[in-house]
Amino acid sequence: MLIIPAYNESKNIPRLIESINALNEGYDILVVNDCSTDNTKNVCRELGVNTINLPANLGIGGAMQTGYKYAYYNNYDIAVQVDGDGQHNPIYIKDVIREVKSGYNMCIGSRFINKEGFQSTLMRRVGITYFNYLIKMLTGISITDPTSGFRAADKTTINLFRKYYPVDYPEPETVVLLKKNGLKIKEIPVIMNERLEGKSSIDSFKSIYYMIKVSVAILITAMSSYKEV
């Protein structure tokens, strides 16, 4: 199944759903509408997309955990996160799924392996490089795109994430969580698009706050005794 977290993505969701349906792969789609203040709820209804409309804004972490809970209780073997802003190209969904089917617990789509397509802003690239080094120092593995939200999770990971999922800017922390639980992660190259409509939740000022907050969360996760599998 595909989990699409969405906050104020009414202009991007139709294009994304159309491109997914054009693949004719029969993917089950779940949009988790994170209490959007725009027309996302009505757009999803008009598109006939399976949607969970959260009664309060939980942030990306809460939205994704909602999706993983849905995947777990509906007995899905694989859940793929595809962000609602349209940056993730659906043609690569089959590729991240293939790696999970081959035995990896999570596969992450990275824009930095082949360095093709939209490479994000300079400030974000600095933060991504920093998180790569921090994660490598703590876990021994190098993840070139630790902030990528384009990822496929197997049943073990779904079960882990439905019990615990970081709240804010969770992607780098989840990598450490998975490694702490002895799970296998792989990256594959993908080409991402630039957001066409709306704006990111992380601006230049928030980038500094983001790096500090996520760094602390990563260190706490690395040093904690929390293990589930």
Side-chain angles (χ1 to χ4, degrees):
M1 70 166 293
L2 309 183
I3 303 171
I4 303 176
Y7 178 69
N8 292 349
E9 299 290 1
S10 61
K11 295 182 179 179
N12 292 314
I13 286 290
R15 187 183 298 112
L16 174 60
I17 299 301
E18 180 182 1
S19 62
I20 292 172
N21 289 336
L23 298 173
N24 292 317
E25 294 286 351
Y27 297 126
D28 289 347
I29 300 173
L30 173 69
V31 175
V32 182
N33 173 30
D34 194 18
C35 197
S36 297
T37 59
D38 69 352
N39 203 34
T40 296
K41 179 178 179 180
N42 292 332
V43 166
C44 289
R45 182 187 299 118
E46 292 168 3
L47 291 170
V49 180
N50 187 23
T51 307
I52 294 177
N53 295 298
L54 298 178
N57 180 261
L58 300 182
I60 182 64
M64 281 309 303
Q65 188 173 26
T66 299
Y68 284 119
K69 284 178 179 290
Y70 181 95
Y72 176 82
Y73 288 113
N74 286 277
N75 202 33
Y76 283 98
D77 293 321
I78 297 175
V80 181
Q81 177 181 345
V82 182
D83 286 350
D85 58 14
Q87 291 193 65
H88 301 159
N89 191 329
I91 66 171
Y92 296 105
I93 292 172
K94 66 181 186 304
D95 298 324
V96 292
I97 289 176
R98 181 186 64 242
E99 298 302 329
V100 170
K101 285 183 175 180
S102 74
Y104 288 94
N105 300 108
M106 172 169 280
C107 180
I108 300 172
S110 170
R111 74 202 94 177
F112 300 122
I113 295 177
N114 291 343
K115 294 182 168 48
E116 296 180 297
F118 179 59
Q119 297 290 287
S120 193
T121 63
L122 175 61
M123 192 67 178
R124 280 201 173 196
R125 291 199 302 273
V126 170
I128 289 166
T129 301
Y130 162 75
F131 286 127
N132 180 17
Y133 282 115
L134 179 61
I135 290 170
K136 186 175 183 179
M137 181 181 68
L138 295 172
T139 69
I141 64 167
S142 177
I143 300 295
T144 65
D145 202 351
T147 67
S148 171
F150 190 25
R151 40 181 62 190
D154 75 343
K155 208 159 193 173
T156 300
T157 302
I158 291 170
N159 183 39
L160 175 62
F161 285 167
R162 63 105 181 179
K163 296 177 183 177
Y164 172 75
Y165 201 80
V167 178
D168 292 326
Y169 318 122
E171 288 84 6
E173 187 181 344
T174 57
V175 172
V176 177
L177 179 64
L178 288 175
K179 290 303 295 181
K180 189 174 185 65
N181 280 272
L183 302 183
K184 296 191 298 181
I185 306 170
K186 182 175 182 178
E187 280 190 297
I188 63 168
V190 299
I191 297 175
M192 293 191 185
N193 307 312
E194 188 170 4
R195 171 190 280 272
L196 295 178
E197 302 284 352
K199 62 179 183 178
S200 170
S201 61
I202 306 175
D203 55 28
S204 297
F205 175 76
K206 287 182 179 179
S207 293
I208 299 174
Y209 166 77
Y210 166 77
M211 290 177 66
I212 295 172
K213 182 170 185 178
V214 175
S215 296
V216 172
I218 287 174
L219 290 170
I220 291 173
T221 298
M223 293 184 294
S224 74
S225 58
Y226 181 84
K227 291 186 70 174
E228 279 287 350
V229 297

